[in-house]
Amino acid sequence: MLNDSRVLPARLIGHREPSGGACEVVLLIDRGENIWECLVRPGKKLREGAKLSFGKGELTAEVTKVLEDGNRLIHFTYNGIFLEILERLGKMPLPPYIKETLQDAERYQTVYSKEIGSAAAPTAGLHFTKELLQEIEAMGVKVCYVTLHVGLGTFRPVKAEEITDHNMHSEYCVISAETAETINRTKAAGGRVLCVGTTSCRTIESWAGENGTLKASAGWTNIFIYPGYRFKVLDGLVTNFHLPESTLIMLVSALAGRDHVLAAYEEAVRERYRFFSFGDAMFIY
């Protein structure tokens, strides 16, 4: 099970009007009618009514609302097709621990990415090449796809004292009829469902019935998986080594058990494994 979401070149560098001061906007969620929920810098300068310009005026924008969490709703004005303009003006919203500029933006896309809409890559899939996927299919493994558009909220640490008090972010996801049928047939035949990445896992677990069956589905999910959760569909997971105190490591602990995960991380640190987007991965089953 692979997440075929594709990363938007969602980082826009421009200036404020009329002062000319620099600004940065990262697109998070398309709210419709040319309005996007965004992260911005500098926050103190980008209050309601602030006007922005990108690419010598090819794309202009106005902050229409400051949300409770500090994100902004921004209305964009342009001529032409927005995604084409983004391809020209936007940059990849790389994580802060990637310091160098990618010479090839495709390095931050999976080889099977298709449905554009993510603010960050579903990074467990960066380990797969087209040749490896062909080898897997040649072994008789059915490869199928879901879509979950990754939001930056995925990477925010859990600060609440109690897990249940954590305000989980929402992300848009889709399961096609073909994928649902493939999973249902596989489970009925006694086969296993293996997900590449926590995003694929969250998608199928969000829409599964209590008996583990799936049907074509689309919508927003804010599912929060942590120890004690009973997986309805997932049997195994390929995932990166994640940050401590993240919702991602909690999901992994729900599947593998906290003690096993801590032991794996001790081994990874001792052996100097690489962590995060371009790091090593583990297979949990």
Short mmCIF file of all heavy atoms in Angstrom, two decimals, residues 36-89:
data_model
loop_
_atom_site.label_atom_id
_atom_site.label_comp_id
_atom_site.label_asym_id
_atom_site.label_seq_id
_atom_site.Cartn_x
_atom_site.Cartn_y
_atom_site.Cartn_z
N TRP A 36 -6.13 29.90 0.49
CA TRP A 36 -5.32 28.83 1.06
C TRP A 36 -5.02 29.12 2.53
O TRP A 36 -4.81 30.28 2.91
CB TRP A 36 -3.99 28.71 0.32
CG TRP A 36 -4.09 28.04 -1.01
CD1 TRP A 36 -4.59 28.56 -2.17
CD2 TRP A 36 -3.68 26.71 -1.33
NE1 TRP A 36 -4.51 27.65 -3.18
CE2 TRP A 36 -3.95 26.50 -2.71
CE3 TRP A 36 -3.08 25.68 -0.60
CZ2 TRP A 36 -3.66 25.29 -3.35
CZ3 TRP A 36 -2.79 24.48 -1.25
CH2 TRP A 36 -3.08 24.29 -2.60
N GLU A 37 -5.02 28.06 3.32
CA GLU A 37 -4.49 28.17 4.67
C GLU A 37 -2.97 28.03 4.57
O GLU A 37 -2.47 27.11 3.93
CB GLU A 37 -5.07 27.11 5.59
CG GLU A 37 -4.60 27.24 7.03
CD GLU A 37 -5.29 26.26 7.97
OE1 GLU A 37 -6.41 25.80 7.64
OE2 GLU A 37 -4.70 25.96 9.03
N CYS A 38 -2.24 28.94 5.22
CA CYS A 38 -0.80 29.02 5.02
C CYS A 38 -0.05 29.26 6.33
O CYS A 38 -0.59 29.82 7.29
CB CYS A 38 -0.45 30.18 4.08
SG CYS A 38 -1.30 30.18 2.49
N LEU A 39 1.21 28.87 6.32
CA LEU A 39 2.19 29.35 7.30
C LEU A 39 2.85 30.58 6.71
O LEU A 39 3.06 30.65 5.49
CB LEU A 39 3.26 28.29 7.56
CG LEU A 39 2.85 27.00 8.26
CD1 LEU A 39 4.03 26.04 8.28
CD2 LEU A 39 2.38 27.28 9.67
N VAL A 40 3.21 31.55 7.55
CA VAL A 40 3.81 32.78 7.04
C VAL A 40 4.97 33.23 7.90
O VAL A 40 5.05 32.91 9.08
CB VAL A 40 2.77 33.93 6.95
CG1 VAL A 40 1.60 33.54 6.07
CG2 VAL A 40 2.29 34.34 8.35
N ARG A 41 5.86 33.99 7.27
CA ARG A 41 6.91 34.73 7.97
C ARG A 41 7.11 36.06 7.27
O ARG A 41 7.06 36.09 6.03
CB ARG A 41 8.23 33.95 7.96
CG ARG A 41 8.25 32.74 8.87
CD ARG A 41 9.64 32.24 9.16
NE ARG A 41 10.39 31.95 7.94
CZ ARG A 41 11.64 31.46 7.94
NH1 ARG A 41 12.26 31.23 9.06
NH2 ARG A 41 12.25 31.23 6.80
N PRO A 42 7.32 37.16 7.98
CA PRO A 42 7.30 37.31 9.44
C PRO A 42 5.87 37.47 9.96
O PRO A 42 5.10 38.27 9.43
CB PRO A 42 8.11 38.59 9.67
CG PRO A 42 7.86 39.39 8.44
CD PRO A 42 7.69 38.41 7.30
N GLY A 43 5.51 36.70 10.97
CA GLY A 43 4.14 36.69 11.45
C GLY A 43 3.67 38.05 11.95
O GLY A 43 2.51 38.42 11.73
N LYS A 44 4.54 38.81 12.58
CA LYS A 44 4.13 40.10 13.15
C LYS A 44 3.73 41.10 12.07
O LYS A 44 2.95 42.02 12.32
CB LYS A 44 5.25 40.68 14.01
CG LYS A 44 5.48 39.90 15.30
CD LYS A 44 6.55 40.57 16.15
CE LYS A 44 6.75 39.81 17.46
NZ LYS A 44 7.81 40.44 18.29
N LYS A 45 4.28 40.92 10.88
CA LYS A 45 4.01 41.86 9.79
C LYS A 45 2.82 41.44 8.93
O LYS A 45 2.23 42.27 8.22
CB LYS A 45 5.24 41.99 8.89
CG LYS A 45 6.48 42.49 9.59
CD LYS A 45 6.39 43.96 9.94
CE LYS A 45 7.71 44.46 10.50
NZ LYS A 45 7.65 45.90 10.85
N LEU A 46 2.47 40.15 8.98
CA LEU A 46 1.44 39.65 8.07
C LEU A 46 0.12 39.47 8.81
O LEU A 46 -0.36 38.36 9.04
CB LEU A 46 1.90 38.34 7.42
CG LEU A 46 3.16 38.47 6.56
CD1 LEU A 46 3.53 37.16 5.93
CD2 LEU A 46 3.01 39.55 5.50
N ARG A 47 -0.46 40.60 9.17
CA ARG A 47 -1.76 40.63 9.84
C ARG A 47 -2.87 40.73 8.79
O ARG A 47 -2.61 40.87 7.59
CB ARG A 47 -1.83 41.81 10.81
CG ARG A 47 -0.81 41.72 11.94
CD ARG A 47 -1.05 40.50 12.78
NE ARG A 47 -0.12 40.37 13.90
CZ ARG A 47 -0.08 39.35 14.73
NH1 ARG A 47 -0.91 38.34 14.54
NH2 ARG A 47 0.80 39.30 15.71
N GLU A 48 -4.10 40.68 9.26
CA GLU A 48 -5.25 40.78 8.34
C GLU A 48 -5.16 42.05 7.51
O GLU A 48 -4.91 43.13 8.03
CB GLU A 48 -6.54 40.77 9.16
CG GLU A 48 -7.79 40.64 8.30
CD GLU A 48 -9.04 40.43 9.15
OE1 GLU A 48 -8.95 39.67 10.16
OE2 GLU A 48 -10.07 41.02 8.81
N GLY A 49 -5.33 41.90 6.21
CA GLY A 49 -5.26 43.03 5.29
C GLY A 49 -3.91 43.22 4.64
O GLY A 49 -3.79 44.01 3.69
N ALA A 50 -2.88 42.52 5.11
CA ALA A 50 -1.54 42.65 4.52
C ALA A 50 -1.56 42.17 3.07
O ALA A 50 -2.17 41.15 2.74
CB ALA A 50 -0.53 41.84 5.33
N LYS A 51 -0.89 42.93 2.20
CA LYS A 51 -0.85 42.61 0.78
C LYS A 51 0.54 42.12 0.40
O LYS A 51 1.55 42.68 0.84
CB LYS A 51 -1.26 43.82 -0.05
CG LYS A 51 -2.74 44.17 0.12
CD LYS A 51 -3.13 45.37 -0.71
CE LYS A 51 -4.65 45.56 -0.75
NZ LYS A 51 -5.27 45.56 0.58
N LEU A 52 0.58 41.07 -0.45
CA LEU A 52 1.83 40.41 -0.81
C LEU A 52 1.95 40.30 -2.32
O LEU A 52 0.96 40.30 -3.05
CB LEU A 52 1.86 39.00 -0.20
CG LEU A 52 1.38 38.84 1.24
CD1 LEU A 52 1.33 37.36 1.62
CD2 LEU A 52 2.27 39.61 2.19
N SER A 53 3.20 40.19 -2.77
CA SER A 53 3.45 40.05 -4.21
C SER A 53 4.58 39.05 -4.42
O SER A 53 5.57 39.04 -3.67
CB SER A 53 3.84 41.41 -4.81
OG SER A 53 4.08 41.29 -6.20
N PHE A 54 4.41 38.22 -5.46
CA PHE A 54 5.40 37.19 -5.79
C PHE A 54 5.70 37.23 -7.28
O PHE A 54 4.80 37.46 -8.09
CB PHE A 54 4.88 35.80 -5.41
CG PHE A 54 4.39 35.69 -3.99
CD1 PHE A 54 3.04 35.91 -3.71
CD2 PHE A 54 5.25 35.41 -2.95
CE1 PHE A 54 2.56 35.81 -2.41
CE2 PHE A 54 4.78 35.31 -1.65
CZ PHE A 54 3.45 35.52 -1.37
N GLY A 55 6.96 36.99 -7.63
CA GLY A 55 7.32 36.90 -9.03
C GLY A 55 7.03 38.16 -9.82
O GLY A 55 6.41 38.09 -10.88
N LYS A 56 7.46 39.30 -9.33
CA LYS A 56 7.27 40.59 -10.00
C LYS A 56 5.79 40.87 -10.30
O LYS A 56 5.43 41.41 -11.34
CB LYS A 56 8.08 40.65 -11.29
CG LYS A 56 9.58 40.52 -11.06
CD LYS A 56 10.35 40.59 -12.37
CE LYS A 56 11.85 40.47 -12.12
NZ LYS A 56 12.64 40.51 -13.37
N GLY A 57 4.94 40.44 -9.35
CA GLY A 57 3.52 40.74 -9.48
C GLY A 57 2.72 39.73 -10.25
O GLY A 57 1.51 39.90 -10.43
N GLU A 58 3.37 38.63 -10.71
CA GLU A 58 2.64 37.59 -11.43
C GLU A 58 1.58 36.95 -10.53
O GLU A 58 0.52 36.53 -10.98
CB GLU A 58 3.61 36.53 -11.93
CG GLU A 58 2.95 35.43 -12.75
CD GLU A 58 3.93 34.40 -13.26
OE1 GLU A 58 5.14 34.55 -13.01
OE2 GLU A 58 3.49 33.45 -13.92
N LEU A 59 1.88 36.93 -9.23
CA LEU A 59 0.96 36.38 -8.24
C LEU A 59 0.89 37.37 -7.09
O LEU A 59 1.91 37.76 -6.53
CB LEU A 59 1.49 35.03 -7.73
CG LEU A 59 0.67 34.30 -6.66
CD1 LEU A 59 -0.69 33.88 -7.21
CD2 LEU A 59 1.44 33.08 -6.16
N THR A 60 -0.32 37.81 -6.75
CA THR A 60 -0.50 38.72 -5.62
C THR A 60 -1.46 38.07 -4.62
O THR A 60 -2.17 37.12 -4.95
CB THR A 60 -1.05 40.09 -6.06
OG1 THR A 60 -2.31 39.89 -6.73
CG2 THR A 60 -0.08 40.78 -7.00
N ALA A 61 -1.46 38.59 -3.40
CA ALA A 61 -2.25 37.95 -2.36
C ALA A 61 -2.58 38.95 -1.25
O ALA A 61 -1.92 39.98 -1.10
CB ALA A 61 -1.50 36.76 -1.79
N GLU A 62 -3.61 38.60 -0.47
CA GLU A 62 -3.99 39.39 0.69
C GLU A 62 -4.34 38.46 1.85
O GLU A 62 -5.05 37.45 1.65
CB GLU A 62 -5.18 40.29 0.38
CG GLU A 62 -5.62 41.13 1.57
CD GLU A 62 -6.78 42.06 1.25
OE1 GLU A 62 -7.10 42.20 0.04
OE2 GLU A 62 -7.37 42.63 2.18
N VAL A 63 -3.83 38.76 3.03
CA VAL A 63 -4.17 38.00 4.23
C VAL A 63 -5.60 38.39 4.63
O VAL A 63 -5.88 39.56 4.89
CB VAL A 63 -3.20 38.31 5.39
CG1 VAL A 63 -3.62 37.54 6.65
CG2 VAL A 63 -1.77 37.94 5.00
N THR A 64 -6.49 37.40 4.66
CA THR A 64 -7.89 37.70 4.96
C THR A 64 -8.28 37.35 6.39
O THR A 64 -9.27 37.87 6.91
CB THR A 64 -8.84 36.94 4.00
OG1 THR A 64 -8.61 35.53 4.13
CG2 THR A 64 -8.58 37.37 2.56
N LYS A 65 -7.48 36.45 7.04
CA LYS A 65 -7.84 36.08 8.42
C LYS A 65 -6.63 35.46 9.11
O LYS A 65 -5.86 34.72 8.50
CB LYS A 65 -9.00 35.07 8.42
CG LYS A 65 -9.55 34.77 9.81
CD LYS A 65 -10.79 33.86 9.72
CE LYS A 65 -11.37 33.59 11.10
NZ LYS A 65 -12.58 32.74 11.03
N VAL A 66 -6.48 35.77 10.40
CA VAL A 66 -5.47 35.14 11.25
C VAL A 66 -6.18 34.09 12.09
O VAL A 66 -7.09 34.42 12.86
CB VAL A 66 -4.76 36.17 12.15
CG1 VAL A 66 -3.74 35.47 13.04
CG2 VAL A 66 -4.09 37.25 11.31
N LEU A 67 -5.79 32.83 11.94
CA LEU A 67 -6.44 31.74 12.65
C LEU A 67 -5.86 31.58 14.07
O LEU A 67 -4.80 32.11 14.38
CB LEU A 67 -6.27 30.43 11.88
CG LEU A 67 -6.82 30.46 10.44
CD1 LEU A 67 -6.56 29.13 9.75
CD2 LEU A 67 -8.31 30.78 10.43
N GLU A 68 -6.59 30.85 14.91
CA GLU A 68 -6.20 30.71 16.31
C GLU A 68 -4.82 30.10 16.48
O GLU A 68 -4.09 30.44 17.41
CB GLU A 68 -7.24 29.86 17.06
CG GLU A 68 -8.56 30.57 17.31
CD GLU A 68 -9.50 29.72 18.15
OE1 GLU A 68 -9.05 28.67 18.66
OE2 GLU A 68 -10.66 30.11 18.30
N ASP A 69 -4.45 29.17 15.59
CA ASP A 69 -3.15 28.51 15.71
C ASP A 69 -2.02 29.29 15.07
O ASP A 69 -0.87 28.84 15.02
CB ASP A 69 -3.20 27.10 15.13
CG ASP A 69 -3.56 27.08 13.64
OD1 ASP A 69 -3.73 28.17 13.06
OD2 ASP A 69 -3.68 25.98 13.08
N GLY A 70 -2.32 30.50 14.56
CA GLY A 70 -1.31 31.33 13.94
C GLY A 70 -1.23 31.22 12.43
O GLY A 70 -0.59 32.05 11.78
N ASN A 71 -1.83 30.19 11.85
CA ASN A 71 -1.89 30.10 10.40
C ASN A 71 -2.73 31.24 9.84
O ASN A 71 -3.52 31.85 10.55
CB ASN A 71 -2.48 28.75 9.96
CG ASN A 71 -1.57 27.59 10.27
OD1 ASN A 71 -0.43 27.77 10.68
ND2 ASN A 71 -2.07 26.37 10.10
N ARG A 72 -2.53 31.52 8.55
CA ARG A 72 -3.29 32.59 7.89
C ARG A 72 -4.15 32.01 6.77
O ARG A 72 -3.76 31.05 6.11
CB ARG A 72 -2.35 33.61 7.24
CG ARG A 72 -1.50 34.55 8.06
CD ARG A 72 -1.72 34.68 9.48
NE ARG A 72 -0.91 35.76 10.05
CZ ARG A 72 -0.17 35.62 11.14
NH1 ARG A 72 -0.12 34.46 11.77
NH2 ARG A 72 0.52 36.64 11.63
N LEU A 73 -5.32 32.64 6.55
CA LEU A 73 -6.06 32.43 5.32
C LEU A 73 -5.64 33.53 4.36
O LEU A 73 -5.69 34.72 4.70
CB LEU A 73 -7.57 32.48 5.56
CG LEU A 73 -8.17 31.37 6.42
CD1 LEU A 73 -9.68 31.51 6.48
CD2 LEU A 73 -7.80 29.98 5.89
N ILE A 74 -5.20 33.13 3.17
CA ILE A 74 -4.67 34.09 2.19
C ILE A 74 -5.40 33.90 0.87
O ILE A 74 -5.52 32.78 0.35
CB ILE A 74 -3.16 33.90 2.00
CG1 ILE A 74 -2.43 34.20 3.32
CG2 ILE A 74 -2.64 34.80 0.89
CD1 ILE A 74 -0.93 34.05 3.24
N HIS A 75 -5.89 35.01 0.33
CA HIS A 75 -6.58 35.01 -0.97
C HIS A 75 -5.59 35.41 -2.06
O HIS A 75 -4.95 36.46 -1.98
CB HIS A 75 -7.75 35.99 -0.96
CG HIS A 75 -8.50 36.01 -2.25
ND1 HIS A 75 -8.24 36.92 -3.25
CD2 HIS A 75 -9.50 35.20 -2.73
CE1 HIS A 75 -9.06 36.69 -4.27
NE2 HIS A 75 -9.82 35.66 -3.97
N PHE A 76 -5.45 34.54 -3.08
CA PHE A 76 -4.49 34.78 -4.16
C PHE A 76 -5.21 35.29 -5.41
O PHE A 76 -6.33 34.86 -5.73
CB PHE A 76 -3.74 33.49 -4.49
CG PHE A 76 -2.77 33.07 -3.42
CD1 PHE A 76 -3.18 32.23 -2.39
CD2 PHE A 76 -1.46 33.54 -3.42
CE1 PHE A 76 -2.28 31.84 -1.40
CE2 PHE A 76 -0.57 33.17 -2.42
CZ PHE A 76 -0.99 32.32 -1.41
N THR A 77 -4.53 36.18 -6.12
CA THR A 77 -5.03 36.73 -7.38
C THR A 77 -3.99 36.51 -8.47
O THR A 77 -2.79 36.78 -8.25
CB THR A 77 -5.33 38.23 -7.24
OG1 THR A 77 -6.27 38.44 -6.17
CG2 THR A 77 -5.93 38.79 -8.53
N TYR A 78 -4.42 36.04 -9.64
CA TYR A 78 -3.47 35.71 -10.70
C TYR A 78 -4.24 35.55 -12.01
O TYR A 78 -5.47 35.45 -12.03
CB TYR A 78 -2.75 34.40 -10.37
CG TYR A 78 -3.69 33.26 -10.06
CD1 TYR A 78 -4.19 32.42 -11.06
CD2 TYR A 78 -4.15 33.05 -8.76
CE1 TYR A 78 -5.09 31.41 -10.79
CE2 TYR A 78 -5.05 32.04 -8.47
CZ TYR A 78 -5.51 31.22 -9.48
OH TYR A 78 -6.40 30.23 -9.20
N ASN A 79 -3.49 35.51 -13.10
CA ASN A 79 -4.03 35.18 -14.41
C ASN A 79 -3.43 33.86 -14.85
O ASN A 79 -2.21 33.67 -14.77
CB ASN A 79 -3.69 36.27 -15.44
CG ASN A 79 -4.44 37.56 -15.17
OD1 ASN A 79 -5.63 37.55 -14.86
ND2 ASN A 79 -3.73 38.69 -15.26
N GLY A 80 -4.27 32.95 -15.31
CA GLY A 80 -3.76 31.67 -15.76
C GLY A 80 -4.13 30.53 -14.83
O GLY A 80 -5.17 30.56 -14.17
N ILE A 81 -3.28 29.52 -14.75
CA ILE A 81 -3.52 28.31 -13.96
C ILE A 81 -2.61 28.33 -12.74
O ILE A 81 -1.38 28.43 -12.86
CB ILE A 81 -3.27 27.06 -14.81
CG1 ILE A 81 -4.24 27.04 -16.01
CG2 ILE A 81 -3.44 25.79 -13.97
CD1 ILE A 81 -3.97 25.94 -17.01
N PHE A 82 -3.21 28.25 -11.56
CA PHE A 82 -2.48 28.43 -10.31
C PHE A 82 -1.33 27.43 -10.18
O PHE A 82 -0.20 27.80 -9.81
CB PHE A 82 -3.43 28.29 -9.12
CG PHE A 82 -2.81 28.62 -7.80
CD1 PHE A 82 -2.33 29.89 -7.54
CD2 PHE A 82 -2.70 27.65 -6.81
CE1 PHE A 82 -1.76 30.20 -6.31
CE2 PHE A 82 -2.13 27.95 -5.59
CZ PHE A 82 -1.65 29.23 -5.33
N LEU A 83 -1.57 26.14 -10.49
CA LEU A 83 -0.52 25.14 -10.33
C LEU A 83 0.66 25.39 -11.27
O LEU A 83 1.81 25.13 -10.91
CB LEU A 83 -1.08 23.74 -10.54
CG LEU A 83 -2.03 23.23 -9.45
CD1 LEU A 83 -2.53 21.83 -9.79
CD2 LEU A 83 -1.36 23.23 -8.08
N GLU A 84 0.38 25.92 -12.45
CA GLU A 84 1.47 26.25 -13.38
C GLU A 84 2.29 27.41 -12.84
O GLU A 84 3.52 27.44 -12.97
CB GLU A 84 0.91 26.57 -14.76
CG GLU A 84 0.33 25.36 -15.47
CD GLU A 84 -0.19 25.68 -16.87
OE1 GLU A 84 -0.14 26.88 -17.25
OE2 GLU A 84 -0.62 24.75 -17.56
N ILE A 85 1.62 28.38 -12.23
CA ILE A 85 2.33 29.51 -11.62
C ILE A 85 3.20 29.03 -10.46
O ILE A 85 4.35 29.45 -10.29
CB ILE A 85 1.33 30.59 -11.16
CG1 ILE A 85 0.63 31.20 -12.37
CG2 ILE A 85 2.03 31.68 -10.34
CD1 ILE A 85 -0.52 32.12 -12.03
N LEU A 86 2.65 28.11 -9.66
CA LEU A 86 3.42 27.54 -8.55
C LEU A 86 4.67 26.82 -9.05
O LEU A 86 5.73 26.90 -8.43
CB LEU A 86 2.57 26.55 -7.75
CG LEU A 86 1.74 27.08 -6.59
CD1 LEU A 86 1.12 25.91 -5.84
CD2 LEU A 86 2.54 27.95 -5.65
N GLU A 87 4.54 26.10 -10.15
CA GLU A 87 5.69 25.39 -10.70
C GLU A 87 6.82 26.36 -11.06
O GLU A 87 8.00 26.04 -10.94
CB GLU A 87 5.29 24.57 -11.93
CG GLU A 87 4.41 23.36 -11.65
CD GLU A 87 5.15 22.26 -10.92
OE1 GLU A 87 6.40 22.25 -10.94
OE2 GLU A 87 4.48 21.41 -10.31
N ARG A 88 6.45 27.57 -11.49
CA ARG A 88 7.46 28.57 -11.85
C ARG A 88 8.02 29.31 -10.65
O ARG A 88 9.22 29.55 -10.56
CB ARG A 88 6.86 29.59 -12.83
CG ARG A 88 6.56 29.02 -14.21
CD ARG A 88 6.31 30.14 -15.21
NE ARG A 88 5.15 30.95 -14.88
CZ ARG A 88 3.90 30.66 -15.24
NH1 ARG A 88 3.67 29.55 -15.93
NH2 ARG A 88 2.90 31.46 -14.94
N LEU A 89 7.14 29.67 -9.70
CA LEU A 89 7.55 30.55 -8.61
C LEU A 89 7.85 29.83 -7.30
O LEU A 89 8.61 30.33 -6.48
CB LEU A 89 6.45 31.60 -8.35
CG LEU A 89 6.03 32.49 -9.52
CD1 LEU A 89 4.98 33.50 -9.05
CD2 LEU A 89 7.24 33.20 -10.11
#
